[in-house]
Amino acid sequence: MIDPASTTPAPLGPAAGARPAGTGPGGTGAGGPGAAGTREQIDAAIAERRRRRERRERRVYRAIRIGSLVVVLAAWQWYGMHSISIIFDPITTVLAALGHLWTQGGLPGAIWYSLWTFVLGYLSGLIAGVVIGMCVGAYQKAEAAVGLYLQALYATPMVAVVPLLSIWFGFGVLTQELIIALFVLFPSVVTVSYGVRNLDADLLEVARSLRMSRMNLWRHVLIPGTVPYIAAGAAQGVAMGLVGMFIAEIFTQLSGLGNLLQTAAQTYHTDQALAVIVVIMTLGVLLRALITVVQRKVAPWAK
Amino acid sequence: MAEQAGARAGVTAAGSEPAAGAAGPAAAGGGRIECESVYKWFPGGIVLEDVSLAVDSGQFVCIVGPSGCGKTTLLRMMAGLAEPDHGRVTIGGSTVTGPDPRVAVVFQHFGLFPWKSVYRNVALPLQLAKVARDELDSRVTEALRAVGLAGHERKFPAQLSGGMKQRAGLARALAAAPDVLLMDEPFAAVDAQVREVLQEDLLALRDRLRQTIVFITHSIDEAITLGDRILVMDARPGRVVRDITVPIEQPRTISQVRHHPAYAGLRDEIWGQLRQSAIDRAGDQ
């Protein structure tokens, strides 16, 4: 990856020139203004060299990424043009379908609907998951009381309970929200309770030696210590929640992206179906990126 | 390296000022520690057998001994983090029944909260004690200056070297202005050279501290360098086998200690005491 021929010559210039002077006073920094100057020059040259190398590496990776994108899109286009349009469509047709859906197919409305259903279900699932996970992780009695059910439900594919939910709550928005919330709930419960249980025992001992009250223990130790796990649960929840959202929409046939996809597929509008999938993909990527940004803001100490 | 040099300069420069809130109770005898025939059993066997000792207020005692001799358990009992199965531990005349505000602990692995800045870590005991903000600020600042961490207040533990982390751990203990400072192998997790710098700084700081200090270590040299008195413990069962007064005057420096006529003799005496069990353990492996 690193090209030795191009790495060496240029940046060495100033550093090589400065070196003899720098070694004279022993590099202690106390050898007068001249020595300090050369020292700085060497540091600057080294920093400059590193920056150049990083820039070059970044350029290489970007080129690979763009190249791979071009290859994949070209392959898509080529395969689409040589296949029956019910089976697969070239990217140009898909983009046209995307435009059509946007202007006449109610795509903006579907995105809006799906998004807020998702946000509502996701947040309620996540909040419930964090609270339950914290309690189960922190209190052995809570874990003894409900741990078994949580594990059983975690092991059950959530899709299995979807028909039941619709029997109980009908085919309305409530059912959709519940499905999304359930999809988000279990991974976050598991991640968060694991996080609480795996808090550094040394820190708990410090908390004890400082005679922290239960409330202060939560405030200063348990909650901040679990934030990285909450963030991990939240990120995992996005992926799971999107799955839940789709299943809910396809199943309840209400509206939203899932419904749009279902309709397109049932009427053999493959181009439109592909267009919806592209939208969903973009949505998923954006939501995950958003979570990462929030995570960095809330818990800068966590990697 | 440059940071450490700067930190050391900070400690010596501040040397003439009074220590952070240390004036008061310790001088009045509140820091006296007594253990009266303390026993402790763990499932694997007996950890401490009939340990009795007294540490005078303001004394700097090092406890040295092999792993498994129960020295950490003894310290945890003084800190109120463990209970003796028999006997009792008293501090300032009252029996220890749990963590006590007059006692502060410096932990081997620093025990800093990664999500709190250095300032907030050091301020935590005062915050929990609901100390008013102005006083809190001046005590935290003073403690940080005393350990040579002024200017690092806003950093997070992950941004600090091992030596600086333990300085922060010490500052947190000092800020609470305890009568007793319990240090559990505080320098064991840093490399040998940093360790020596920290020892130097603790010696320099020591003049200004009036706390009773119990300092646990594996290292015979460290014990001689720092302690007014050394308790030598042996394992299986854990007990105090020697009580040695270090005849090297305070204040002292590491180099003064190394060149002191009593140094080699002390070292031999302690090593002679621990050698057999060290050989046994070396053979076990």
Side-chain angles (χ1 to χ4, degrees):
Chain A
M1 236 154 291
I2 301 157
D3 181 4
S6 61
T7 329
T8 26
L12 256 180
R19 192 160 294 159
T23 43
T28 49
T38 51
R39 184 67 214 248
E40 276 163 26
Q41 277 173 15
I42 295 173
D43 287 348
I46 292 171
E48 171 60 22
R49 196 160 148 186
R50 185 173 305 144
R51 261 199 303 279
R52 277 189 207 188
R53 194 173 58 218
E54 278 167 7
R55 221 177 299 149
R56 192 166 24 244
E57 279 173 10
R58 264 204 302 276
R59 227 176 289 146
V60 170
Y61 292 134
R62 202 187 310 141
I64 295 174
R65 254 179 230 122
I66 292 171
S68 124
L69 193 64
V70 167
V71 170
V72 168
L73 290 181
W76 180 348
Q77 182 72 13
W78 181 86
Y79 185 74
M81 283 162 71
H82 292 82
S83 128
I84 313 160
S85 83
I86 284 179
I87 310 273
F88 204 76
D89 286 298
I91 190 158
T92 43
T93 317
V94 171
L95 287 177
L98 189 64
H100 173 80
L101 281 176
W102 186 269
T103 51
Q104 290 155 55
L107 182 59
I111 292 180
W112 179 244
Y113 177 86
S114 286
L115 214 54
W116 80 245
T117 330
F118 173 80
V119 169
L120 219 64
Y122 173 78
L123 285 182
S124 33
L126 186 65
I127 291 168
V130 168
V131 171
I132 297 172
M134 285 249 169
C135 292
V136 169
Y139 301 116
Q140 209 126 53
K141 281 175 187 155
E143 140 70 35
V146 298
L148 183 66
Y149 313 114
L150 288 175
Q151 275 172 29
L153 282 171
Y154 184 51
T156 314
M158 271 307 123
V159 192
V161 302
V162 168
L164 267 183
L165 285 176
S166 60
I167 292 177
W168 295 338
F169 302 104
F171 288 88
V173 188
L174 180 63
T175 307
Q176 285 194 332
E177 300 293 6
L178 275 174
I179 294 170
I180 298 171
L182 278 178
F183 268 78
V184 177
L185 179 73
F186 289 98
S188 45
V189 167
V190 171
T191 315
V192 169
S193 65
Y194 174 86
V196 175
R197 262 196 300 274
N198 282 275
L199 270 173
D200 191 347
D202 281 357
L203 294 183
L204 296 179
E205 177 125 320
V206 175
R208 252 186 88 201
S209 85
L210 294 175
R211 294 168 306 122
M212 271 190 203
S213 64
R214 177 161 290 185
M215 224 182 74
N216 279 323
L217 185 68
W218 279 98
R219 178 176 155 208
H220 293 288
V221 186
L222 296 181
I223 293 175
T226 318
V227 163
Y229 293 90
I230 296 175
Q236 227 183 326
V238 168
M240 293 306 292
L242 284 175
V243 174
M245 181 187 90
F246 264 89
I247 289 174
E249 286 179 355
I250 290 172
F251 198 80
T252 59
Q253 299 261 338
L254 259 182
S255 52
L257 288 169
N259 187 43
L260 212 58
L261 178 67
Q262 182 77 338
T263 315
Q266 277 169 356
T267 53
Y268 297 102
H269 284 96
T270 310
D271 52 346
Q272 291 186 5
L274 283 169
V276 175
I277 288 173
V278 168
V279 170
I280 293 156
M281 230 182 243
T282 316
L283 216 60
V285 170
L286 288 179
L287 284 170
R288 289 201 73 135
L290 184 71
I291 293 290
T292 314
V293 171
V294 172
Q295 188 175 342
R296 285 218 191 99
K297 269 259 173 334
V298 183
W301 67 87
K303 296 276 143 52
Chain B
M1 274 309 150
E3 267 167 0
Q4 277 144 20
R8 292 192 54 193
V11 168
T12 20
S16 54
E17 293 166 29
R32 184 176 166 83
I33 305 169
E34 280 180 68
C35 298
E36 292 167 22
S37 60
V38 165
Y39 285 75
K40 184 79 182 177
W41 288 270
F42 278 171
I46 190 157
V47 181
L48 289 171
E49 186 182 68
D50 196 18
V51 173
S52 293
L53 58 90
V55 180
D56 282 335
S57 201
Q59 204 170 38
F60 192 144
V61 172
C62 287
I63 300 181
V64 62
S67 11
C69 72
K71 53 194 192 305
T72 294
T73 306
L74 192 61
L75 190 94
R76 293 183 76 239
M77 285 175 183
M78 294 173 184
L81 294 169
E83 253 182 275
D85 290 326
H86 177 269
R88 66 183 194 134
V89 178
T90 65
I91 287 180
S94 53
T95 305
V96 176
T97 52
D100 189 304
R102 293 170 303 165
V103 178
V105 187
V106 177
F107 294 86
Q108 180 176 358
H109 299 291
F110 323 124
L112 300 174
F113 295 101
W115 45 88
K116 288 180 182 290
S117 66
V118 168
Y119 184 94
R120 287 185 167 276
N121 263 294
V122 175
L124 186 60
L126 304 178
Q127 195 188 340
L128 292 171
K130 300 200 165 64
V131 171
R133 187 188 278 176
D134 289 352
E135 195 197 335
L136 178 142
D137 188 65
S138 69
R139 278 166 72 176
V140 171
T141 309
E142 178 57 42
L144 283 170
R145 192 151 45 131
V147 301
L149 272 186
H152 299 284
E153 291 85 353
R154 305 184 67 167
K155 287 191 180 153
F156 283 88
Q159 296 168 280
L160 303 179
S161 66
M164 289 165 84
K165 281 182 193 160
Q166 198 53 292
R167 287 172 193 279
L170 181 59
R172 176 171 64 192
L174 291 179
D179 295 339
V180 174
L181 203 53
L182 302 175
M183 305 178 81
D184 182 11
E185 301 197 39
F187 305 153
V190 299
D191 73 53
Q193 281 117 50
V194 173
R195 187 172 186 160
E196 243 182 78
V197 177
L198 292 175
Q199 288 171 357
E200 282 279 8
D201 287 350
L202 186 59
L203 279 176
L205 194 61
R206 212 252 131 146
D207 296 341
R208 302 159 46 207
L209 300 179
R210 268 165 264 180
Q211 274 90 2
T212 310
I213 301 177
V214 178
F215 186 108
I216 287 192
T217 178
H218 263 105
S219 157
I220 296 172
D221 288 323
E222 189 164 73
I224 300 173
T225 305
L226 297 173
D228 301 329
R229 186 177 151 204
I230 299 172
L231 296 171
V232 183
M233 290 186 73
D234 207 347
R236 297 192 193 106
R239 64 206 187 281
V240 177
V241 289
R242 214 46 165 262
D243 184 345
I244 299 166
T245 302
V246 179
I248 308 173
E249 63 288 343
Q250 296 273 11
R252 42 164 104 133
T253 62
I254 292 184
S255 135
Q256 278 166 7
V257 173
R258 298 279 152 82
H259 293 103
H260 195 279
Y263 176 74
L266 269 178
R267 215 184 171 289
D268 283 350
E269 186 183 349
I270 299 170
W271 176 233
Q273 193 68 51
L274 296 176
R275 188 166 171 272
Q276 192 52 51
S277 75
I279 289 171
D280 292 347
R281 272 173 299 121
D284 281 346
Q285 285 154 12

